[in-house]
Amino acid sequence: MIAIDDYAFAQDIPGALDNGRAWVSWLKDGHGVPLVKPLFNQQAAKETMKEEVAKVAARVQPGGRLWVVYIGHGAPSEAGDDGVLVGVDAQQTPSSLEARGLKRAELLAAAEAAMPSGTEVVLVQDACFSGKTSRGDLAPGMAPLKTVSARLGPKVTVLSAARSDEYAGPLSDGKRPAFSYLVLGALRGWGDRNGDGRVSAQEAVAYADDALVQTTTGRSQTPELSGPDVALGRSGKERAPDLTALAMAAVSAPVASVGSAGQVQVDLGGSATDFAALAAQAAAADAAAADASQKRAAAQAALDKERRKRLDGAAADVQAAAKRDFASISSLLSNPTENSRKVLEAWLSRYDKATVTIDGVTESVLIPEVARVQQAIGRIAVSSSPSGSASGEWTGRSGYGMVGIPAGSFLMGSPSSESGRDADETQHQVTLTRGFLMGKTEVTQGLWSSVMGSNPSAPDYKGVSLLGDSLPVQNVDWCDAVAFANKLSAKDGLRAAYTGVDQCKVSKGTSVAWDRSSDGYRLPTEAEWEYAARAGKTGPYAGGVSEDGACRIGNVGDASAKSKFSDWTTFSCNDGVVGLASVGRYAANPWGLHDMTGNVWEWCWDRYADYSGTSTDPVGPQSGSYRVDRGGSWSDDPRYARVAYRGRNTPDFRFSNLGLRLVRTNP
């Protein structure tokens, strides 16, 4: 690992040692290389580089691999037939650069002579061999590198920072050499383009190339791969940086350097002052600042346009593939059966959660055919439901409307990249083996009063009225919720789901048992709730919508609430309501459920505990002081309204934003 940022005579290279140390850490800790030899600054003279490369090469085991990473100056040889890795003590003349530098051919020959036969070599060279300066012209006395055939052994792979006629430079902020930084980032997880868990040499070079196109201006730097495209190692899980932010650093610098106005010295002590000159300086500074601002805006617009084009192109490719595969299964949709379920679910698992990612920006891909397949699966799930209706809906005698939710599997929890994520949201696979019916809306105050004889809801919150028959019931604790489920079951002629309800408050919920053979109303399990809220989607809010779409599908803490409660943290959108909204006011998710984001929190059956990993039909732990509630409310900000967020309270807790929604197990 050779890195030089402090040359004796040549220009220094800021950040070369930072990159070198990061490479050493990855090779040892991230990649498990048993022997790593760093040569930094004064250690990187010509003789030492050649000698130490040979020593390390001799330690490589048969079938192993030798890595050589060089971060420093490069130069063309005097004959123009090879690149020279410039040693730390080379002077800035063509003869000294070659005399005190190491030709690539010499380095590779020294390594191959010391290694066992058949050993792989990977050379990463973050250096410029064109002889050009950052301005693009040849340095004094430099001859351009000739285009010659690479003299590489059959197992030598070379990753080069630029073509032989290009200048290789730093990141847009000038703080680090670009190529070695980006290739290492690719290995850490930024460049695994096909998602196979490994990063190939071609993937690493391609990632660096794309990143340089987007983040550098004023130079053309095209990374190259020579030799076989080998797998460099397992991909890490590190999230890629925001390339747009890196690009903006390139056009932010001029603002800092515009100093004319700041340099104006106004002397009011009686000496003569040239106010015309001072005014001209101030005007020039203003013009320079305006020009820099325009350049920033133009660069941002160009980046956004290019990213948009690439995202749209990738999404179109996914949509075309989905359409082709949908044509093969479309005959199953007219009369779906259990025999066709697996085929439909296989198609859905491939395309329902489709995303495309460009430069760290991930977007869901809208597949129009998904809704038709989901509906077909839903019809299978509810074909034996009480109503037997084709739409999958069922309404009890009391008027409580429900919709069929199909059995299936999903990824429960949130990805590590999700904004506002908590540590207890670890993603894990969950399978629900049986479909169920779920209330299309939250239980209303009107329904509660008709069953229980009174309305427990809080009348207002700081002057905002919270009462109304069409509003969700609130201010109910967990014991109230299970008692209501049993009474509604009795009213609709169903068998109660719970026993021990009478002792619930005294026992703090421990007396309540769930009869899973019952066909009566009950609270959803935490897994059932999140599965139904997501409706096969992966976004942070119900039905997979993003933050800017939350006000379309739910009543959340929004701009209208902010106007009333100025100290609240809220969504930036406006759902048009301060306080509770009538159930069903907002758009349903793809499975026909309203208000799975916002309005009131909804009690679940489960006691709260950390997730236990992959599971089938989970119902929570057998003990614990807290019961789970989900979904956020009319007063909650983006963090708490996410479908993965796990609220929890004691069974006797009640508040003006806490209610319920009921489910039934499919008969």
Side-chain angles (χ1 to χ4, degrees):
M1 176 59 247
I2 306 166
I4 310 170
D5 69 356
D6 185 13
Y7 277 86
F9 303 103
Q11 183 178 359
D12 293 342
I13 302 179
L17 251 62
D18 292 332
N19 283 8
R21 294 188 182 101
W23 269 93
V24 168
S25 177
W26 180 80
L27 288 165
K28 290 178 62 177
D29 303 328
H31 196 51
V33 175
L35 173 62
V36 180
K37 177 68 175 181
L39 297 178
F40 292 160
N41 285 341
Q42 295 91 338
Q43 300 168 318
K46 173 181 179 177
E47 296 80 8
T48 308
M49 288 192 289
K50 185 175 180 179
E51 179 182 345
E52 294 298 332
V53 165
K55 282 183 181 179
V56 175
R59 301 286 296 272
V60 180
Q61 299 299 310
R65 172 183 289 171
L66 172 68
W67 288 80
V68 181
V69 181
Y70 175 83
I71 308 172
H73 283 305
S77 65
E78 288 191 278
D81 60 353
D82 197 2
V84 176
L85 308 179
V86 176
V88 67
D89 56 351
Q91 298 189 41
Q92 290 183 282
T93 65
S95 58
S96 179
L97 290 172
E98 183 159 334
R100 301 306 303 152
L102 185 62
K103 289 184 178 181
R104 290 177 297 185
E106 287 185 80
L107 181 147
L108 292 172
E112 291 177 313
M115 292 187 304
S117 177
T119 302
E120 290 183 350
V121 178
V122 174
L123 171 60
V124 179
Q125 48 187 25
D126 193 353
C128 168
F129 303 106
S130 65
K132 292 183 177 180
T133 68
S134 60
R135 299 184 302 274
D137 54 345
L138 280 174
M142 290 286 117
L145 188 65
K146 300 174 183 175
T147 301
V148 296
S149 299
R151 298 187 295 274
L152 302 177
K155 293 213 169 188
V156 177
T157 297
V158 179
L159 290 75
S160 302
R163 292 175 179 167
S164 60
D165 61 346
E166 294 177 334
Y167 170 75
L171 295 169
S172 56
D173 61 6
K175 294 180 179 179
R176 292 194 181 207
F179 182 66
S180 53
Y181 173 84
L182 294 169
V183 169
L184 180 57
L187 294 169
R188 286 173 164 171
W190 311 350
D192 184 12
R193 299 193 162 197
N194 60 9
D196 64 355
R198 304 185 72 82
V199 176
S200 69
Q202 182 59 53
E203 283 181 309
V205 169
Y207 174 78
D209 185 27
D210 283 351
L212 286 166
V213 167
Q214 293 182 68
T215 61
T216 59
T217 56
R219 78 173 189 260
S220 177
Q221 180 178 344
T222 310
E224 288 190 320
L225 172 66
S226 304
D229 179 20
V230 297
L232 298 181
R234 296 185 302 275
S235 170
K237 301 299 183 183
E238 185 174 312
R239 187 180 181 187
D242 185 345
L243 294 179
T244 300
L246 287 176
M248 293 305 295
V251 292
S252 295
V255 175
S257 66
V258 175
S260 301
Q263 294 164 2
V264 173
Q265 299 294 321
V266 179
D267 181 5
L268 298 180
S271 60
T273 301
D274 187 346
F275 286 103
L278 296 179
Q281 290 179 22
D286 290 341
D291 182 63
S293 178
Q294 291 174 355
K295 288 180 178 178
R296 282 200 305 273
Q300 181 68 66
L303 286 168
D304 290 345
K305 183 178 180 180
E306 176 62 20
R307 179 182 291 163
R308 181 75 268 150
K309 179 180 177 181
R310 295 169 67 199
L311 283 167
D312 290 345
D317 290 342
V318 175
Q319 289 170 332
K323 188 173 183 178
R324 287 194 300 270
D325 289 343
F326 178 78
S328 301
I329 66 167
S330 58
S331 61
L332 303 177
L333 302 184
S334 58
N335 186 29
T337 65
E338 285 293 339
N339 293 325
S340 58
R341 178 200 289 271
K342 289 186 177 180
V343 178
L344 298 176
E345 288 180 342
W347 183 94
L348 196 63
S349 67
R350 172 172 293 184
Y351 293 113
D352 184 31
K353 301 175 183 178
T355 61
V356 292
T357 301
I358 300 292
D359 302 332
V361 175
T362 299
E363 290 187 353
S364 298
V365 180
L366 177 63
I367 308 295
E369 297 83 5
V370 162
R372 294 178 61 187
V373 175
Q374 288 176 333
Q375 290 168 2
I377 294 173
R379 292 200 300 273
I380 299 170
V382 301
S383 60
S384 60
S385 69
S387 69
S389 62
S391 66
E393 296 186 3
W394 178 84
T395 302
R397 297 174 187 171
S398 61
Y400 188 55
M402 310 189 87
V403 64
I405 307 298
S409 299
F410 77 113
L411 200 57
M412 189 172 183
S414 64
S416 58
S417 59
E418 186 167 295
S419 177
R421 180 181 191 268
D422 277 359
D424 63 353
E425 298 171 19
T426 304
Q427 283 192 309
H428 59 292
Q429 192 73 14
V430 170
T431 297
L432 301 177
T433 61
R434 193 171 182 181
F436 55 97
L437 298 168
M438 188 172 218
K440 290 193 290 184
T441 68
E442 294 154 335
V443 171
T444 64
Q445 295 177 28
L447 178 60
W448 183 285
S449 297
S450 69
V451 173
M452 306 296 283
S454 62
N455 182 2
S457 299
D460 70 280
Y461 177 81
K462 296 184 178 181
V464 176
S465 175
L466 301 178
L467 294 181
D469 284 349
S470 64
L471 303 182
V473 70
Q474 33 83 6
N475 203 38
V476 295
D477 64 28
W478 189 86
C479 290
D480 294 332
V482 295
F484 173 80
N486 273 5
K487 286 201 173 184
L488 185 62
S489 295
K491 184 173 183 177
D492 283 359
L494 304 172
R495 186 156 58 91
Y498 301 118
T499 58
V501 171
D502 291 345
Q503 298 300 311
C504 183
K505 293 183 182 291
V506 175
S507 68
K508 296 185 177 180
T510 60
S511 64
V512 179
W514 169 17
D515 177 2
R516 299 187 196 178
S517 66
S518 164
D519 64 351
Y521 297 108
R522 59 179 177 83
L523 298 178
T525 65
E526 187 178 14
E528 287 174 333
W529 190 95
E530 185 172 329
Y531 174 65
R534 291 189 179 280
K537 304 295 183 179
T538 57
Y541 303 101
V545 304
S546 58
E547 183 173 327
D548 57 4
C551 291
R552 180 178 59 83
I553 52 92
N555 175 28
V556 294
D558 66 325
S560 59
K562 184 81 169 178
S563 67
K564 176 71 174 178
F565 305 104
S566 59
D567 59 331
W568 284 12
T569 299
T570 64
F571 287 80
S572 59
C573 58
N574 193 330
D575 60 35
V577 174
V578 180
L580 295 173
S582 296
V583 300
R585 172 189 174 103
Y586 300 94
N589 75 2
W591 287 352
L593 302 171
H594 297 268
D595 304 317
M596 295 299 281
T597 288
N599 227 8
V600 292
W601 290 88
E602 300 174 12
W603 282 113
C604 294
W605 164 257
D606 308 44
R607 295 177 174 89
Y608 174 80
D610 287 340
Y611 291 139
S612 58
T614 300
S615 58
T616 300
D617 297 325
V619 295
Q622 295 301 307
S623 61
S625 301
Y626 297 94
R627 297 282 180 166
V628 172
D629 48 77
R630 290 294 207 109
S633 76
W634 67 273
S635 59
D636 284 297
D637 64 25
R639 175 191 175 191
Y640 298 109
R642 295 175 302 112
V643 292
Y645 184 82
R646 309 177 67 202
R648 62 269 196 185
N649 285 291
T650 56
D652 59 355
F653 178 81
R654 61 179 65 238
F655 197 65
S656 58
N657 63 358
L658 180 57
L660 74 156
R661 179 190 308 260
L662 298 176
V663 300
R664 289 184 57 210
T665 303
N666 267 351

